[in-house]
Amino acid sequence: MDKFSFLNAVHPSDVAALYEKYLQYPDSVEPSWRAFFQGFDFGSENSAEDFFGVSKDVPTEQYDVGAICADVVKEFQVVKLIDGYRTRGHLFTKTNPVRERRKYSPTLALENFGLSQEDLKATFRAGEIIGIGEATLAEIIKHLESIYCDSIGIEYMYIRRPDEIQWIQQKLNINDNQPNFSAEHKKHILQKLNEAVSFESFLHTKYVGQKRFSLEGGESLIPALDTLIENAAEKGVKEFVMGMAHRGRLSTLTNIFGKSAKDIFSEFDGKDYAQDIFDGDVKYHLGWTSKRNTKSGKEINLNIAPNPSHLETVGAVVQGIARAKQDDHYKEAPSSVLPIIVHGDAAIAGQGLVYEIVQMAQLEGYKTGGTIHIVVNNQIGFTTNYLDARSSIYCTDVGKVTLSPILHVNADDVEAVVHAMLFALDFRMEFGRDVFIDLLGYRKYGHNEGDEPRFTQPKLYKAIAKHENPRDIYANELIAQGVIDADYTAKLEQEYKDKLEENLENSRKEDKTTITPFMQDEWEGYEYAEEDKMMENVDTKVAIKELDEIAEVITKLPASKNFLRKIARLVESRHTMYFEDNKLDWAMGELLAYGSLLKEGHDVRMSGQDVERGTFSHRHAVIKVEDSEEEVVLLNNLKGNQGDFYIYNSLLSEYGVVGFDYGYAMASPNTLTIWEAQFGDFSNGAQIMIDQYISAAEDKWKLQNGLIMLLPHGYEGQGAEHSSARMERYLQLCATDNMFVADVTTPANLFHLFRRQLKVNYRKPLIVFTPKSLLRHPKVVSTKEEFANGSFQMLIDDAEAKAAKVKTLVFVTGKFYYDLLEKKEELNRDDVALVRVEQLFPLPTDAMKQVIKKYKNADDVVWAQEEPKNMGAYSHVLMHFEEARNFRVCSRKMYAAPAAGSSVRSKARHAKVIENVFDKNMN
């Protein structure tokens, strides 16, 4: 009996379907069929005779593959052809409007799949796979070309979830992945496309040579965004949070977000701002919030976040804003908030931050239910060709990290662009995952309108100069279809430009420009604060009864669960320290601060590397059950209508996570939002966020933000990387009223500092240099009365010093105080007063002057720090406190590295600084 005769008993379409399943998910196919298909693939790659066991000496008419099961074999080959289009069709699309596509091999030629021209008229049941039923090979190829190789190329076959693959394939099979819009919809698309084209040409005429980062060459973004917003609202989306760089931003603000063209013209005219309290920014960096009513009457909230010139930075901020809105307003329906990030092709491929953000997409602490990423692909950076800008074929290949579908679309084919956007929306709403759209267009001018692109791309810009804009291309198509007449587009353009002209005239009647605050609804009731207000004492007391209730909850583990003995002892020791010893350590001060705010209805969010336990094993805010690893979060078990305590170990990222948490704090001012560095100097991985947002956002964009950054800092012989949090960098950024910087020394002061952050009616970033060795230092304790009755102390005087005896007055900050105190006690020096500066910015200069006045007998006033002289707080104090010019400075010498790698050398240097403090003759 013929060993392959069983194939004749199987319907070819069933075998084809099984083979298709095998191609996508080999392990899901029954083993004997899998072995058969593996053999077939091997035979296809070598020769059919090898697979079917035919000796070349045997005449083919006696044992011909085609005679056995020609129809089944051919079905296999057609299935492989279909699979080839699905996996590689995107390489052979018509997606580049101004360049020939690069050539790739192998191609999708029939011969590469064991098929020939003679097979074109033969019918194959494999057509059922693409939804057209039994069809000729010619018809199947026609459909495949339409689905995979027209104006949209799609990458998705690497996705590992069969339900997503099936959903995508069914979606693509509808109308062969071609748009099918009504005449009215087409007219609306043309209208939005006209707005995009006319807006840019108007600005080009009125503001010749001014930077505007034109969208010309990618104008189809505007109708695509318009369609996205209208259709997303119908699917339950209520808020959009967008981040984009400068290219096309002004058009998006006007034509999508509804910002008055009059205001944009005022910004172009370079008018001064109506407000004196901030310096502002260039027009294409400003944020905007607006409400929009869709055609069906649904009101939606639109937010476009302010961004710096540092490309992709805003992406992390957008994710944080979206997550905060989901946590605060849409906990039961998080998909109601849709993040959209518009990238540039060079930036998405070149900036590592994109990878960090993409890796957050499915993490519990950072997911936002899917982001729509749109790349305005100019095929060029500033002057850099795309071939020099990346190693990958596509700029969007980072999307494959999370197995997201990626659509490459010809930006000249506006209907295809809109169609792709609808696909992306449906996928996001169905699966809650990211989608990438690569909008392949061009940049009509240079990087900015004053730049000459022909210096570096003469051939490309010769082609662009002759190229019709997308609106005129589409208008001609609609005229040919009989949807509009020849005068229709000219009327649209004239009407729109008349409105722009009117706005321009009105803008020039005003002398000043006014900047509207971003997300003003979230910030209702908050005021801007200048330095004098920041220096006011704030009531942060909590009744002892309240503290008792919180302590009772956070110092007892559930009796019904088993925990590691070390953890059980730790929690028990916290109970003892609170209820018996009344000596509360750093961890208890921190946890009581969170608990008190939660009891008052505030949410608390903390994230960073290893924050659940704490880098130095002090926090243990999340406790694992020994056998099941179930997580127990005691702070979520407080009585009453408490807020939510969110704490998440982050991915190993600083830039992305700081950006996320900054965005979160921006959208949720009533939440205590904290990012903690594993070691303080790791924060320099987020330097762009610190420079562009944390220190400057209020001055540039009128943005308040209450993010707390906890930066472990202190010299304990751990080398250059784990000693300094680079205090001097933050202090250099301090100006007037932009942030708080603190280096506190007691658990109670930390408690009040955290509470102050939410008890004021304004928000400022707070940088806290936190201890390492002090976490368990026997002297670093506070009583519960200090929590209940005290307040944040910007400066702590020496309680033991007698003013009349003091000859040396030492100002010190942070952990170094305890090193000096130990030495003072060892030497029994009652002529030395150690005064702690707990708040470094704004510097409590009045209190410092009073201390100097109090110790009037001191003829030696010292600034002492463990950092090198060119680091730490010394230069800051010198700049902000006139009297510091006369201080004796005790510090390490100037060094390039913060600390020595040798612990012996480090200890010696440390001891020398301490000795210097107590012996002024050493200077």
Side-chain angles (χ1 to χ4, degrees), residues 150-168:
D150 200 1
S151 291
I152 301 174
I154 180 167
E155 298 181 88
Y156 70 96
M157 289 294 282
Y158 43 76
I159 294 174
R160 295 172 191 153
R161 287 184 51 180
D163 57 330
E164 290 185 10
I165 291 273
Q166 186 178 16
W167 184 93
I168 289 170

Side-chain angles (χ1 to χ4, degrees), residues 3 97 110 144 183 197 237 261 274 282 344 360 482 500 539 564 600 653 701 713 726 735 739 761 780 883:
K3 63 179 178 179
L110 292 177
L144 291 172
V197 171
V237 174
V282 291
M360 291 180 187
L500 293 178
D539 183 2
L564 288 169
E600 292 166 2
S653 151
W701 306 315
H713 174 88
R726 295 290 189 172
M739 56 180 161
N761 67 341
V780 185
E883 288 78 354

Side-chain angles (χ1 to χ4, degrees), residues 320-365:
I321 292 171
R323 178 58 180 262
K325 287 179 173 291
Q326 290 169 344
D327 285 351
D328 288 353
H329 308 302
Y330 304 100
K331 197 169 283 187
E332 302 304 316
S335 63
S336 300
V337 182
L338 174 57
I340 306 164
I341 302 178
V342 182
H343 308 265
D345 53 309
I348 193 173
Q351 293 292 311
L353 176 61
V354 180
Y355 181 86
E356 297 181 35
I357 296 168
V358 165
Q359 279 288 20
M360 291 180 187
Q362 297 298 317
L363 299 182
E364 191 60 36

Side-chain angles (χ1 to χ4, degrees), residues 20-21 24-28 86 156-170 403 427 431 433:
E20 182 199 18
K21 186 178 181 183
Q24 293 179 33
Y25 310 105
D27 292 341
S28 68
R86 287 171 169 175
Y156 70 96
M157 289 294 282
Y158 43 76
I159 294 174
R160 295 172 191 153
R161 287 184 51 180
D163 57 330
E164 290 185 10
I165 291 273
Q166 186 178 16
W167 184 93
I168 289 170
Q169 290 175 348
Q170 289 175 350
L403 307 178
F427 181 87
F431 298 106
R433 298 214 303 112

Side-chain angles (χ1 to χ4, degrees), residues 94-99 217 379 409-413 440-442 467:
K94 307 177 185 75
T95 48
N96 199 321
V98 290
R99 276 176 167 152
Q379 308 185 57
V409 196
N410 189 324
D412 271 0
D413 188 342
L440 206 75
Y442 55 91
H467 198 74

Side-chain angles (χ1 to χ4, degrees), residues 629-836:
E629 293 196 1
E630 175 193 348
E631 294 186 345
V632 174
V633 182
L634 297 173
L635 280 167
N636 277 327
N637 297 333
L638 304 174
K639 295 176 183 176
N641 189 26
Q642 72 161 88
D644 289 311
F645 181 66
Y646 305 112
I647 185 164
Y648 303 105
N649 287 339
S650 75
L651 66 162
L652 200 66
S653 151
E654 290 83 32
Y655 191 178
V657 176
V658 169
F660 185 102
D661 286 333
Y662 180 89
Y664 196 101
M666 188 194 299
S668 188
N670 206 35
T671 297
L672 189 75
T673 306
I674 303 169
W675 177 79
E676 181 177 60
Q678 191 177 68
F679 286 90
D681 59 329
F682 287 7
S683 65
N684 59 20
Q687 197 64 48
I688 291 174
M689 275 305 309
I690 295 161
D691 291 345
Q692 304 303 322
Y693 281 93
I694 290 168
S695 66
E698 186 172 339
D699 203 31
K700 292 193 293 187
W701 306 315
K702 291 180 71 173
L703 283 184
Q704 295 193 66
N705 196 290
L707 177 68
I708 298 175
M709 296 180 71
L710 301 183
L711 309 177
H713 174 88
Y715 282 60
E716 288 129 352
Q718 293 191 59
E721 269 71 60
H722 295 328
S723 297
S724 172
R726 295 290 189 172
M727 180 186 293
E728 62 281 353
R729 291 185 179 173
Y730 295 90
L731 294 174
Q732 183 199 27
L733 293 170
C734 292
T736 59
D737 51 23
N738 64 335
M739 56 180 161
F740 287 110
V741 179
D743 191 7
V744 296
T745 57
T746 72
N749 222 22
L750 181 77
F751 173 89
H752 292 293
L753 178 65
F754 281 1
R755 287 185 53 77
R756 182 182 74 172
Q757 195 71 353
L758 292 191
K759 293 296 126 184
V760 293
N761 67 341
Y762 59 87
R763 294 290 179 264
K764 304 283 182 182
L766 169 60
I767 313 301
V768 187
F769 300 106
T770 53
K772 293 170 285 181
S773 60
L774 299 193
L775 296 174
R776 295 171 182 83
H777 196 292
K779 287 185 179 291
V780 185
V781 292
S782 302
T783 65
K784 65 181 78 172
E785 288 75 22
E786 289 175 296
F787 289 80
N789 304 318
S791 63
F792 177 66
Q793 299 176 74
M794 301 180 197
L795 184 140
I796 301 177
D797 197 357
D798 190 332
E800 303 299 321
K802 306 297 183 198
K805 291 185 177 182
V806 171
K807 299 296 183 184
T808 297
L809 169 60
V810 181
F811 287 104
V812 64
T813 186
K815 164 252 173 191
F816 196 42
Y817 161 76
Y818 290 98
D819 298 337
L820 297 180
L821 179 62
E822 182 181 6
K823 191 68 173 180
K824 177 185 173 181
E825 291 174 346
E826 177 192 321
L827 298 173
N828 196 25
R829 290 285 297 272
D830 61 1
D831 63 331
V832 176
L834 302 176
V835 177
R836 289 169 269 177

